């Protein structure tokens, strides 16, 4: 018979490692885009990075919806209530599909207007608009597949979810190269539009794999009937717990997007260096964020069966594992940056910026990993999503976004001083987040008797 420790680590590796692999491949897609476009031109690489901020905001919204799905579905999974989980999937699909349509309209019909938010450089606006005009079609499919994959993870079908998402992402990398460099006979090199087209096709494949998986699993699947399902009790619970999480992801993501707005007006060299650094940060964070995201599932299941002692003990373990993973991420940044810096065409100024960013980011990655484990993992496992929203709203929008604009455009500080200032945001809120953790208000069962 397994001990409690053995059960914990078995569940940990079964859930967290596949999520970390999925995060890794997702990061590799972004890195592949950057590296490949770096061979085309610095302008193409920088404009794709800025255009990607629209996708980043969409991902933050989907992250908020996924948080609502996970908070409820993980606890209901603890009670083995698949009927309730099907209704939760229906709510997620309806909301995510509506958001996908909205972003589709914005990127396909108004790409130039969106690019002007991030930069006033005509070359980057034109190149980024080409990317957005094509990639916007992928959002129609993401709105359907994303909630399904979130539910799969919540009911511990993490391996299947990872296999579907990772297959699509690996295909994305392959198609990137084929379209970007003209490796398909009869099709000329497509440049930045080819990168966008690769994303669209990979999302179509991902959606198709979700349909196939649902047909085989049978208990939960994507069908038009989901749009007709409605449970008022679960709808109210979903709104109650997911809206703060959605607001949290949105204000956090939009603030990061504002950081890009600030840097986008400090020159192409800074944007290009930050594009590379962002990918290195993502690569360094895959394991830490994997632990943090798996935390909500592991703890939610324990809370759902009202095993609070186990949930509290597991939370401490997961936080230490997140910290260790973040330290490993710092090492990754220091090890990988010489390779990336020497494989792409950068100006001397961009290389100097990148060198400074590396040392700042090697410390920075500790902050978001720990805060994500607390806010998005531990707190949300028990439905405590409002705190994270208020914390990030104050930390980023009351303090750091205004400070960033003042530093860049009023005091006109050097770009690296602005970058360093914006990298303090996660550490500024950490004492408050830790105090909330010690209060234990997150140890709550939020399930109901749903039939």
């Amino acid at each position: 018979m397994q001990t409690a420790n053995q059960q914990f680590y078995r569940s940990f590796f079964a859930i967290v490692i596949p999520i970390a692999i999925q995060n890794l491949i997702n990061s590799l897609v972004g890195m592949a885009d950057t590296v490949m476009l770096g061979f085309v031109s610095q302008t193409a690489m920088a404009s794709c990075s800025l255009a990607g901020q629209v996708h980043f905001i969409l991902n933050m919204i989907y992250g908020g919806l996924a948080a609502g799905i996970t908070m409820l579905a993980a606890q209901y999974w603890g009670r083995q209530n698949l009927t309730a989980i099907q209704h939760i999937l229906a709510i997620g699909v309806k909301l995510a599909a509506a958001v996908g349509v909205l972003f589709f309209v914005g990127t396909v019909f108004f790409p130039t207007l969106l690019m002007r938010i991030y930069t006033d450089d005509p070359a980057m606006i034109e190149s980024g608009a080409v990317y957005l005009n094509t990639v916007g079609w992928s959002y129609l499919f993401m709105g359907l597949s994303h909630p399904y994959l979130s539910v799969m993870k919540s009911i511990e079908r993490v391996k299947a979810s990872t296999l579907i998402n990772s297959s699509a992402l690996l295909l994305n990398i392959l198609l990137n190269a084929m379209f970007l460099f003209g490796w398909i006979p009869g099709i000329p090199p497509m440049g930045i539009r080819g990168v966008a087209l690769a994303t669209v096709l990979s999302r179509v494949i991902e959606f198709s794999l979700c349909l196939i998986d649902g047909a085989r699993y049978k208990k939960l699947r994507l069908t038009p009937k989901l749009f007709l399902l409605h449970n008022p009790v679960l709808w109210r619970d979903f709104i109650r717990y997911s809206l703060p999480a959605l607001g949290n992801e949105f204000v956090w993501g939009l603030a990061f997007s504002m950081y890009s707005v600030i840097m986008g007006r400090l020159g192409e060299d800074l944007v290009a260096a930050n594009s590379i650094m962002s990918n290195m940060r993502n690569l360094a964070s895959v394991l830490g964020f994997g632990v943090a995201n798996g935390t909500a599932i592991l703890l939610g299941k324990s809370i759902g069966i009202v095993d609070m002692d186990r949930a509290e003990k597991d939370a401490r373990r997961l936080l230490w594992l997140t910290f260790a993973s973040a330290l490993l991420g710092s090492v990754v940044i220091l090890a990988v940056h010489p390779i990336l810096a020497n494989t792409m065409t950068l100006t001397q100024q961009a290389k100097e910026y990148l060198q400074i960013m590396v040392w700042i980011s090697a410390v920075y990655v500790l902050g978001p990993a720990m805060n994500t484990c607390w806010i998005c993992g531990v707190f949300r496992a028990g439905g405590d999503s409002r705190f994270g929203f208020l914390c990030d709203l104050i930390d980023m929008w009351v303090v750091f976004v205004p400070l960033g604009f003042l530093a860049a455009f009023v005091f006109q500080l050097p770009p690296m001083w602005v970058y360093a200032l914006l990298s303090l945001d996660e550490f500024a809120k950490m004492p408050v987040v830790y105090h909330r953790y010690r209060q234990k208000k997150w140890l709550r069962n939020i399930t109901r008797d749903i039939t």
Side-chain angles (χ1 to χ4, degrees):
M1 186 174 179
Q2 289 185 329
T3 65
N5 285 344
Q6 289 174 328
Q7 289 177 349
F8 168 79
Y9 285 106
R10 181 180 180 183
S11 297
F12 172 79
F13 286 110
I15 292 174
V16 171
I17 298 305
I19 292 177
I21 292 172
Q22 186 174 325
N23 290 343
L24 173 62
I25 296 174
N26 201 13
S27 298
L28 290 176
V29 171
M31 189 171 292
D33 287 352
T34 301
V35 171
M36 291 179 192
L37 286 170
F39 284 109
V40 177
S41 71
Q42 180 173 294
T43 299
M45 181 177 65
S47 60
C48 185
S49 174
L50 290 180
Q53 292 303 308
V54 176
H55 183 79
F56 177 71
I57 293 173
L58 176 63
N59 270 339
M60 290 302 100
I61 296 174
Y62 281 162
L65 293 176
I69 290 171
T70 301
M71 275 187 280
L72 290 166
Q75 289 202 15
Y76 279 109
W77 178 242
R79 298 180 60 174
Q80 294 294 297
N81 191 333
L82 281 172
T83 300
I85 294 172
Q86 186 173 10
H87 281 282
I88 293 165
L89 173 61
I91 295 169
V93 165
K94 283 183 273 192
L95 292 175
V99 172
V101 170
L102 179 63
F103 273 74
F104 162 77
V105 172
T107 52
V108 172
F109 296 102
F110 307 103
T112 301
L113 181 63
L114 290 174
M115 283 302 300
R116 284 185 179 137
I117 296 173
Y118 296 101
T119 182
D120 52 7
D121 185 304
M124 286 198 286
I125 290 173
E126 181 181 359
S127 181
V130 169
Y131 175 86
L132 288 176
N133 180 257
T134 303
V135 81
W137 291 90
S138 68
Y139 302 151
L140 296 176
F141 299 96
M142 283 181 66
L144 298 171
S145 59
H146 200 282
Y148 182 77
L149 294 173
S150 297
V151 166
M152 288 176 70
K153 285 185 274 192
S154 299
I155 62 173
E156 298 184 275
R157 297 191 65 229
V158 182
K159 291 181 181 178
S161 172
T162 298
L163 181 62
I164 290 173
N165 186 248
S166 299
S167 298
L169 293 174
L170 290 172
L171 176 65
N172 195 350
I173 295 175
L174 176 62
L175 292 176
N176 272 350
M178 296 176 73
F179 290 136
L180 186 64
F181 301 120
W183 290 353
I184 302 176
I187 300 179
M190 298 176 68
I192 196 170
R193 189 183 294 276
V195 173
L197 180 59
T199 301
V200 174
L201 293 177
S202 67
R203 292 301 180 182
V204 171
I205 296 299
E206 180 182 67
F207 172 66
S208 301
L209 291 174
C210 288
L211 293 178
I212 294 170
D213 179 82
R216 295 179 61 185
Y217 184 62
K218 295 182 181 179
K219 296 177 183 178
L220 291 168
R221 47 176 157 168
L222 285 172
T223 68
K225 291 181 180 179
L226 291 174
F227 289 94
L228 303 177
L229 286 179
H230 181 68
N231 185 299
V233 174
L234 282 174
W235 175 261
R236 286 193 296 270
D237 283 348
F238 191 92
I239 296 300
R240 177 183 177 185
Y241 297 114
S242 71
L243 272 188
L246 177 59
N248 189 181
E249 299 287 345
F250 187 72
V251 299
W252 186 86
L254 194 58
F256 253 83
S257 193
M258 287 299 102
Y259 294 172
S260 295
V261 169
I262 294 169
M263 287 185 277
R265 282 164 169 74
L266 294 178
E268 183 182 296
D269 290 330
L270 184 64
V271 173
N274 185 56
S275 173
I276 298 170
M277 194 65 252
S278 294
N279 283 294
M280 280 196 282
R281 280 185 177 183
N282 291 338
L283 181 63
S285 301
V286 292
L287 186 56
F289 281 1
V291 178
N293 293 330
T295 295
I297 299 170
L298 287 168
L299 298 186
K301 184 179 179 183
S302 296
I303 294 172
I305 57 176
V306 202
D307 191 348
M308 301 305 180
D309 290 338
R310 178 178 174 180
E312 189 175 357
K313 185 177 180 180
D314 288 350
R316 288 196 298 270
R317 288 170 166 163
L318 289 160
L319 285 163
W320 278 111
L321 288 167
T322 300
F323 181 72
S325 302
L327 285 178
L328 180 61
S330 296
V331 175
V332 169
I333 286 179
L334 296 175
V336 169
H337 93 273
I339 301 172
L340 287 180
N342 293 324
T343 56
M344 284 171 282
T345 304
L346 295 174
T347 65
Q348 185 59 38
Q349 182 66 75
K351 289 181 180 179
E352 291 175 4
Y353 285 155
L354 181 60
Q355 188 65 37
I356 298 171
M357 287 177 174
V358 164
W359 293 103
I360 295 173
S361 297
V363 177
Y364 172 82
V365 292
L366 295 170
M370 293 304 298
N371 285 329
T372 299
C373 192
W374 271 314
I375 294 174
C376 301
V378 176
F379 298 168
R380 290 182 184 175
D384 185 10
S385 55
R386 188 177 173 215
F387 170 80
F389 168 65
L390 294 174
C391 184
D392 280 329
L393 182 66
I394 295 170
D395 178 68
M396 303 186 87
W397 284 98
V398 176
V399 180
F400 281 94
V401 170
L403 274 181
F405 276 99
L406 287 172
F409 307 122
V410 177
F411 301 114
Q412 297 184 340
L413 296 181
M416 284 298 93
W417 283 96
V418 176
Y419 185 84
L421 174 67
L422 295 176
S423 297
L424 294 173
D425 58 349
E426 294 288 343
F427 294 98
K429 69 186 180 187
M430 195 173 284
V432 180
V433 174
Y434 178 73
H435 176 69
R436 182 70 171 190
Y437 164 71
R438 296 289 295 173
Q439 290 180 316
K440 301 182 183 180
K441 293 183 178 180
W442 51 275
L443 284 167
R444 293 186 303 156
N445 185 313
I446 57 175
T447 60
R448 301 173 185 269
D449 292 324
I450 302 294
T451 57

